[in-house]
Amino acid sequence: MTKNKALAVLFIALVVFVNMGMRVIPAPSQTRQIIDNMIAAIARHQGVTFTMDAAERIVGKPKEFNQMEMFTKVKINPLSIYGKVLKDPNAGTELLYVTGQHDNKIRVNPGKFLPTLTLAQTNGLLTKNQHHTLLTSGFVIVQKIMTAGIKRAEAADPNKGFDSIFKYAGDVQYHNRNCSRIIINDPTYTYTTVVGQKGENVLALARRLLVSEYHIMDLNPSSHSLDDDVSGKTLKVPTSYAKKTVLYIDKATNFPLYQEMSDERGLFEKYEYTNLVVNPAFKADEFTEKFSEYKF
């Protein structure tokens, strides 16, 4: 086909699109490509190891934050998680969860010559002043929250909704990793009320709505722990996870190594990931109850 014929074919195709009342779909924006790559990378990964530094606003104390540093291993299927607290006051405590074992509870080795415990993921000893449970370790929850955010943006404006909310803000060096800085401002962020479903606790409600467990507990003093039953209760909740989110997405792995979430009062969560390894080669006995097998 000659160049002139090729141009003629392209022109005819465009005319057909117009006559059919259709529009030419533009190529994805740079920001959309970065977010899509992140979602896809998280969706296909089979496991990770990392060190996480967390800062979480304490319920009822808007100016105080709980700080924690933990080394974590996560195997996606079957879900298996090992964590070791690296800083005081609980430095040395080890946690182990393996789907289907111990009634799907967490084995806890507190060290200091104390006996090993078996606790539910929402047990207060494990979640005091924390926003999440061990079972949300890793990045799968980020994938779900971002996917929901895209749907809300596109529902508000199919043409420009995404790019009006998700913004690429240049590159940044984070712990010697070249990252894309993404800023997400949700103009629809507000508060509403919902009724808890039968058998639902704070954790389950947060997962159903894809909002922060922290906000449910902070906005509803009668439901101040993750395992509080909210069946039939009318609760005040945010309409989305955060009013503003800042992500540093690693260009090599497409994983969000830095996550900062804010509401109308400012920062309420910050998670920083270092030493990230995606799809490590876990040994057959990597996730066992013999905590002494772990060597760092």
Side-chain angles (χ1 to χ4, degrees):
M1 183 181 292
T2 66
K3 181 178 180 180
N4 288 338
K5 287 183 177 179
L7 291 173
V9 170
L10 177 59
F11 175 78
I12 292 171
L14 290 173
V15 170
V16 171
F17 271 107
V18 172
N19 289 339
M20 292 178 64
M22 301 175 69
R23 62 184 178 84
V24 179
I25 300 174
S29 66
Q30 180 182 19
T31 308
R32 182 60 183 264
Q33 194 64 63
I34 293 169
I35 294 295
D36 284 350
N37 288 345
M38 179 190 73
I39 290 173
I42 296 173
R44 65 174 174 260
H45 87 293
Q46 297 301 309
V48 284
T49 65
F50 54 80
T51 299
M52 180 191 72
D53 281 284
E56 298 176 329
R57 188 194 291 161
I58 297 175
V59 171
K61 300 179 179 180
K63 295 183 179 181
E64 295 184 28
F65 284 77
N66 182 49
Q67 307 279 341
M68 182 180 67
E69 183 179 0
M70 177 179 285
F71 170 79
T72 307
K73 302 179 182 183
V74 181
K75 181 181 178 182
I76 299 300
N77 188 27
L79 182 62
S80 306
I81 304 171
Y82 169 80
K84 183 174 183 178
V85 181
L86 300 179
K87 287 186 177 180
D88 287 333
N90 299 308
T93 299
E94 296 175 292
L95 310 168
L96 181 66
Y97 171 86
V98 179
T99 300
Q101 294 186 14
H102 298 288
D103 295 324
N104 288 315
K105 294 182 178 180
I106 298 169
R107 295 282 281 171
V108 183
N109 175 18
K112 303 174 184 177
F113 305 104
L114 297 173
T116 298
L117 306 172
T118 303
L119 302 173
Q121 63 166 317
T122 55
N123 186 282
L125 292 175
L126 295 176
T127 60
K128 182 180 180 182
N129 291 332
Q130 295 186 29
H131 291 189
H132 308 287
T133 75
L134 181 71
L135 272 63
T136 55
S137 298
F139 299 87
V140 173
I141 189 64
V142 177
Q143 173 198 353
K144 293 179 179 179
I145 292 170
M146 289 299 109
T147 301
I150 291 172
K151 289 181 179 179
R152 284 195 307 276
E154 292 180 338
D157 184 344
N159 295 317
K160 299 181 180 179
F162 179 90
D163 288 318
S164 66
I165 294 173
F166 293 75
K167 301 287 188 181
Y168 167 66
D171 292 347
V172 61
Q173 285 291 315
Y174 175 76
H175 291 280
N176 298 317
R177 306 292 284 263
N178 191 20
C179 300
S180 300
R181 186 169 184 257
I182 300 293
I183 299 177
I184 307 165
N185 284 295
D186 185 352
T188 69
Y189 184 89
T190 185
Y191 295 95
T192 186
T193 58
V194 299
V195 177
Q197 296 180 353
K198 184 178 179 180
E200 206 165 42
N201 60 14
V202 168
L203 177 63
L205 177 62
R207 288 292 162 265
R208 174 164 66 88
L209 300 178
L210 289 178
V211 299
S212 168
E213 296 94 315
Y214 160 78
H215 281 114
I216 296 175
M217 294 185 291
D218 195 57
L219 295 169
N220 303 278
S222 64
S223 302
H224 61 276
S225 66
L226 294 177
D227 60 358
D228 277 351
D229 185 7
V230 297
S231 304
K233 291 184 178 180
T234 299
L235 300 145
K236 185 177 180 180
V237 298
T239 54
S240 58
Y241 197 88
K243 183 177 179 66
K244 179 181 179 181
T245 300
V246 178
L247 303 176
Y248 296 171
I249 301 175
D250 181 24
K251 291 191 174 185
T253 64
N254 294 310
F255 274 64
L257 302 182
Y258 178 91
Q259 304 165 24
E260 175 188 301
M261 281 68 70
S262 301
D263 56 18
E264 74 284 355
R265 292 185 291 179
L267 178 74
F268 69 87
E269 287 180 344
K270 182 171 68 174
Y271 304 105
E272 302 183 69
Y273 296 84
T274 54
N275 306 314
L276 175 74
V277 178
V278 179
N279 295 327
F282 291 130
K283 298 177 182 178
D285 61 351
E286 191 88 21
F287 299 91
T288 72
E289 295 180 25
K290 298 178 182 179
F291 294 100
S292 60
E293 291 180 0
Y294 291 94
K295 306 295 183 185
F296 304 102

